[in-house]
Amino acid sequence: MKSNENDKGWLSLVALLAAPMAMAQPGDTHRYALEEVVVTAQKKAESLQDAPISLTAFGQQALENKGINSLADIGANVPSMSIEPFPINNATLRIFIRGIGISDAQITQDPPVGIYMDGVYIARSTGTALDVADLERIEILRGPQGTLYGRNTTGGAINLVSKQPNTEAFEFEQKFTVGDRDLFTSKTSANIPVLDNLALKLAYMTTEKSGFVENEGPGGDFGDREVQGYRVDMRWDLSDQLTMDYAFDKSNLAYYNSMYQAITPPNGDKGQAEPIKGHASKRTVYSESRLDSLKTTKPLEESTTEISGHALTFAYQHEDFDLKYIAAYRELTDESYADLGGGKGRSKFRLDSHSYSGPEGTTPLVKPVVTQKQLSHELQLSGDAMDSRFEYMVGLYYFDESAEEDNSPLHHQMSSRTEVPWYAAGFKGFLVNFLSQHYEVDNQSMAFFGQGTWTPNILEDRLHLTFGARHSRDERKAIKNQTDINKVSLYGHLFNIHYGVIDATDPSRQFDNVKAEKDFTDNSFSFVAEYDLSDTVNIYGKINEAYKSGGFNTRDPQRDGNQGPASDGVNYGFGFAEGFDEEKVRSMELGIKSELMDRRLRINADIFRSVYSDMQLNFILAGTVADTKITNAGEAEMQGFEADITFMATRNLLLMLNYAYLDAEVTKAEDVSGKDVSDEFVFFAAPEQSYTAAADWTLADADWGRTSLNLSYNYMDERNGGSRAENVKNTRLEAYGVWNARFGVSDMPFAGGNLSVAAWGKNLTDEEYAITAIDNQPQSDRSVLWGEPRSYGLDLIYRY
């Protein structure tokens, strides 16, 4: 199966690249070149070709051509990167770069891929699925970025750069998008010069779209979403040297979570849910192919996310140095409701937190609510010395965060008919699980960092040596309150008469005000050696370190160590309060940045090797559905190759290929009992091969406008699988490839500005592919969320 998918992908790639090449005319003078790409990956504006980083950047035109409207759209366009929704919250994204990411989303844990908006760190992955409103550029930094970006970038970093106001002229842009599944989007922005030294930029966005799986039960339809957001930017040139930027943004997302589709019936041991497995499977529909409809038992409730933030930046330019100060404050509120039942809609089997009434008790509808506030300050000093032979940047950083996850009061979570073998024949039971959770965190982080680049007076100034260091300190505090109750109602077999309620609760699952606190300190270093082979070819070698902060696991049972080993013979320690420590990575990379053929061919490539120590490994505890243990008992190695190739074949034809090869292996993994399980543990999202091939072809360029065609093919190899992964075969994700196209006419003169119109299609062949899979539902050993089916639409854009 895998080889066939690879063959199909490579044939598609060859066809895409070979066919347009024939369009080049032998008489072309080649007096054209690729445009320079400016990035801020090293916290300064510089050419992409001068940045010794494995980096992919999308400008405004590329974002438009590729139909990138949200962070969720980026993963399919960046090899070695995958993005998928969290199972019970579609507004939370699990982001992986080079196989490194986090599979669980908790306020007590941090993701290892950092997200930055105009230099401001976004701590929580909740809400990161929101549509982008007015971006100028997105930068994807692959690999550890510990020196300049700090903690929690062991996988990499994502820079979101918004368009800034300018005082030169009034500008206006309006974009409408319509498409299938009731898609409608409106994006409006206006740049308004107020004074010679003051300008405002206003942006507003609204979008709505229906999901592709109908809910035949009560409530909303799976995947329906509606987003509104706005942003206000102000730029004030206080003097010739001092500039102030202020930004306020707010977004509101209303959506209905998707439901996992059951693929295979349950055969394995379901632990706590084993008693209801048989009845639950009878109430479930199974299919290997994507279904157009599923059915909830109770009304599917709407979920909401609200995000707002302030950012204030002062930039002072002196003749000898530059000084920048960034202050930011952000708030997040997320209320998410999910139904994981996937049954036929009868109340005998439920996996939800909706209202419940029965002999076991009456509980209300509960939607888990996450609230978070963060405050950050960063001060940067940069400049040069020694007749510009030494460039430097030093900085201070402070971060403060408080958050709560409220999943209370006690409410229904799971229920089903079940056999009760320990009672007399003729009795059956109705098992009901009630849950209440409340978690709090209070985190502070401080760091100082520095990086310097020296160009010695040798080798014709072609050698550049860079050394960087960062010292970080983290303080993390958390509180856990949890009540988990199991009750069984006994009924007579013949007459369905209620006989009584049995309390089947495990006392060790009751947690009251459990407090946890841990401090972490880290020193990370980097060294880069660059050599300019020519004005357009540069090679580099680098060693880079980063660390991911430790934390606490809310799904870890809090057992008292004085009680000795648990019933399975394993002593789990103090659980939640014990927490887990930081993990560390060291990466080595060799790369080349080059522009050839009179700057018509750009080849940027690298090979890398990363070694992880004290890796945070997450294990499902035997006999449970979702209880886990995180230990620092892992080591891993990964190596790979990445290449970004851009070729301007003719003045009107641009070809692009982005390719990544990744070999990731867990070399050491010990479970909670100390057993070596490295042969059973794999990276969740580490495709061996992935690539994106694209062609931009200008069909006509005249005074009345420019006609162009964009065609792309995105391929992702299998994930969470392979010969070593028998224990995770039910969460394996198959390889897939997706064709996308966009045909449009742009730059048409209209009403003093210009007009553009384009028709687009995504997943043109309607490929069925799973984007995430789980194996711990009582009614199924394998359940999946499907990727987007074929979609199409029309863009209308006016710019003035």
Side-chain angles (χ1 to χ4, degrees), residues 617-651:
L617 298 180
N618 199 340
F619 298 90
I620 290 283
L621 296 182
T624 71
V625 176
D627 287 352
T628 63
K629 185 79 175 180
I630 297 180
T631 66
N632 293 90
E635 296 179 1
E637 297 178 359
M638 61 175 58
Q639 46 271 326
F641 166 75
E642 296 159 339
D644 296 333
I645 303 173
T646 306
F647 177 45
M648 183 167 279
T650 71
R651 187 182 301 276

Side-chain angles (χ1 to χ4, degrees), residues 153-175:
T153 55
T154 52
I158 301 174
N159 273 341
L160 307 175
V161 183
S162 66
K163 290 189 284 187
Q164 295 298 313
N166 69 81
T167 59
E168 298 300 321
F170 173 81
E171 298 174 353
F172 176 81
E173 180 176 318
Q174 174 64 57
K175 178 180 179 180

Side-chain angles (χ1 to χ4, degrees), residues 42 221 238 253 321 391 408 611 620 632 665 739 746 759-760:
Q42 295 194 106
D221 283 333
L238 298 170
L253 169 63
F321 61 86
E391 297 180 356
S408 66
V611 178
I620 290 283
N632 293 90
E665 180 181 0
W739 284 96
S746 59
W760 52 264

Side-chain angles (χ1 to χ4, degrees), residues 328-350:
Y329 175 78
R330 299 193 65 82
E331 291 186 355
L332 162 71
T333 301
D334 179 75
E335 185 179 68
S336 180
Y337 175 83
D339 187 341
L340 298 177
K344 293 182 179 179
R346 296 189 60 181
S347 60
K348 303 303 181 184
F349 163 55
R350 289 174 53 186

Side-chain angles (χ1 to χ4, degrees), residues 37 42 52 89-90 137 186 250 285 376-377 437 466 475 481 493 576 589 655 662 666 736:
V37 179
Q42 295 194 106
N89 188 328
N90 293 170
R137 187 173 65 255
S186 173
K250 187 170 185 177
V285 177
S376 62
H377 301 270
Q437 299 167 315
T466 300
E475 298 177 359
N481 287 278
H493 186 197
F576 171 78
E589 186 175 306
L655 304 176
L662 181 62
V666 176
Y736 68 91

Side-chain angles (χ1 to χ4, degrees), residues 279-280 283 297 345-350 415-417 430 496:
H279 186 266
R283 310 306 308 166
T297 298
R346 296 189 60 181
S347 60
K348 303 303 181 184
F349 163 55
R350 289 174 53 186
S415 61
S416 177
R417 280 192 181 275
F430 201 93
N496 198 31

Side-chain angles (χ1 to χ4, degrees), residues 499-515:
Y499 280 85
V501 176
I502 299 175
D503 189 343
T505 301
D506 180 356
S508 68
R509 301 181 64 78
Q510 311 304 302
F511 316 126
D512 184 20
N513 207 36
V514 178
K515 296 182 179 180

